Amino acid sequence: AVGISALGLSLATGARRGYGRIPMPPYHLGLGFVGALVMVLGWILGLISGDFLRAPFATDGIAPNLLAGAMGGVLSWMVLERLRSQIVSSLGLASGAIAGTVICSTNAMWLTPRLAIIIGMMGAAVGFLATVFIRRFRNVDDSMDIFSLHALPAAVGLLVLPLFGPDCVAFGAQLAGILITAAYAAALTAVIVLPLKFFDLLRVSFDDEDAGLDLTLHGETVHPPQSTL
């Protein structure tokens, strides 16, 4: 749902000025790694907590399976990035870990660590290809790659669950659930975003965007101006 909402918001808001024409590297790779780590650990703790309330006996393999999925995602993204651009970026490794964790979070209870690595590699491959494809559209500026790294890997994870999950899980039911959730998220996002777009409340001024929203909206920056980090 969040990936569909992010894509819709990106379409409604429009791209950052200069997107696709000037370089827009990440502000701070160290903070990016911290964010990816918090996200992966949050997924693990959230799934363990939720499943423990429902079935305490079924939480033992969740953490190792999600960690294995993250490692598979890192490996897959590293290989694909190397083949495409002859580099291996730290941002790409973090992206692969997130995609690998996301795809395994939909079926962590029924995986083994070895299978989780394979599924994680599949999730990162889907995320990588989607990221490359979407960035060709200059009017779609999903700066955090939410749709590519969250929505699509999660959908693929749900679709492959019938291959190794419980017998009661059917491919048709999984596909229907994905489509219904996507339609619901798109409809509610439109209800919220379109009025804001109509009243021109989705974007800040060019000067504020150029200076940075952390400074213009929050009155603070991560590092003081004299910092060399």
Side-chain angles (χ1 to χ4, degrees):
V2 66
I4 298 298
S5 297
L7 182 61
L9 186 58
S10 298
L11 289 170
T13 305
R16 289 166 288 178
R17 295 173 176 87
Y19 179 72
R21 294 186 291 103
I22 61 176
M24 295 184 177
Y27 174 71
H28 195 294
L29 288 175
L31 293 179
F33 260 91
V34 171
L37 176 62
V38 171
M39 188 175 296
V40 171
L41 293 180
W43 245 292
I44 294 174
L45 294 175
L47 285 176
I48 289 177
S49 300
D51 285 329
F52 184 81
L53 295 175
R54 184 181 58 147
F57 58 85
T59 62
D60 293 341
I62 289 179
N65 288 340
L66 291 181
L67 288 175
M71 290 187 291
V74 168
L75 177 62
S76 178
W77 198 289
M78 179 178 64
V79 172
L80 290 172
E81 192 172 40
R82 179 68 177 178
L83 291 174
R84 181 175 184 268
S85 54
Q86 303 301 312
I87 63 169
V88 176
S89 67
S90 54
L91 180 64
L93 300 184
S95 301
I98 292 173
T101 304
V102 170
I103 191 172
C104 290
S105 67
T106 59
N107 43 49
M109 292 176 59
W110 295 280
L111 293 174
T112 64
R114 291 183 179 179
L115 184 57
I117 292 177
I118 297 174
I119 299 297
M121 294 175 66
M122 183 187 305
V126 170
F128 180 87
L129 295 176
T131 300
V132 172
F133 178 75
I134 289 176
R135 286 180 180 172
R136 296 183 177 182
F137 299 91
R138 293 190 177 182
N139 61 327
V140 182
D141 184 10
D142 184 3
S143 59
M144 300 296 292
D145 294 323
I146 303 299
F147 180 76
S148 301
L149 300 183
H150 292 73
L152 292 183
V156 172
L158 290 171
L159 292 177
V160 301
L161 179 58
L163 298 178
F164 51 82
D167 295 336
C168 60
V169 177
F171 179 85
Q174 297 292 91
L175 179 60
I178 292 170
L179 295 177
I180 292 172
T181 301
Y184 178 77
L188 288 188
T189 301
V191 169
I192 296 171
V193 170
L194 290 181
L196 296 176
K197 182 177 178 64
F198 178 79
F199 290 104
D200 198 23
L201 297 175
L202 284 180
R203 296 196 68 113
V204 298
S205 66
F206 174 78
D207 291 338
D208 287 351
E209 183 176 327
D210 186 55
L213 302 188
D214 55 345
L215 182 62
T216 58
L217 294 185
H218 306 291
E220 56 191 8
T221 58
V222 177
H223 303 293
Q226 69 272 18
S227 174
T228 58
L229 291 179

